């Protein structure tokens, strides 16, 4: 996906496409790391934990 966005950004000279794709992947990875840290017992702020639980419930509801 990032490679495709990189090609599109190069061909159409729109760097925003590439940055949005990379930013999306980075944010997904950060959320996964935080979710796994919470499962491992590392303390996570309540607000962040509630948000992660809500995202997990939405993920299950889509299936």
């Amino acid at each position: 996906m990032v490679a495709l966005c990189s090609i599109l950004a190069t061909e159409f000279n729109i760097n925003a496409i590439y940055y949005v794709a990379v930013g999306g992947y980075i944010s997904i990875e950060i959320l996964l790391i935080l979710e796994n840290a919470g499962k491992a017992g590392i303390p996570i702020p309540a607000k962040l934990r509630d948000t992660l639980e809500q995202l997990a419930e939405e993920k299950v509801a889509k299936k």
Side-chain angles (χ1 to χ4, degrees), residues 22-32:
V22 171
Y25 276 109
I26 289 172
S27 63
I28 289 170
E29 290 300 320
I30 289 172
L31 288 174
L32 290 173

Side-chain angles (χ1 to χ4, degrees), residues 15-41:
N15 289 333
I17 296 170
Y18 178 72
Y19 293 126
V20 168
V22 171
Y25 276 109
I26 289 172
S27 63
I28 289 170
E29 290 300 320
I30 289 172
L31 288 174
L32 290 173
I33 290 169
L34 288 172
E35 184 179 5
N36 290 333
K39 289 179 182 178

Side-chain angles (χ1 to χ4, degrees), residues 1-10 18 21-22 25:
M1 180 71 165
V2 174
L4 176 63
C5 289
S6 177
I7 292 169
L8 289 174
T10 304
Y18 178 72
V22 171
Y25 276 109

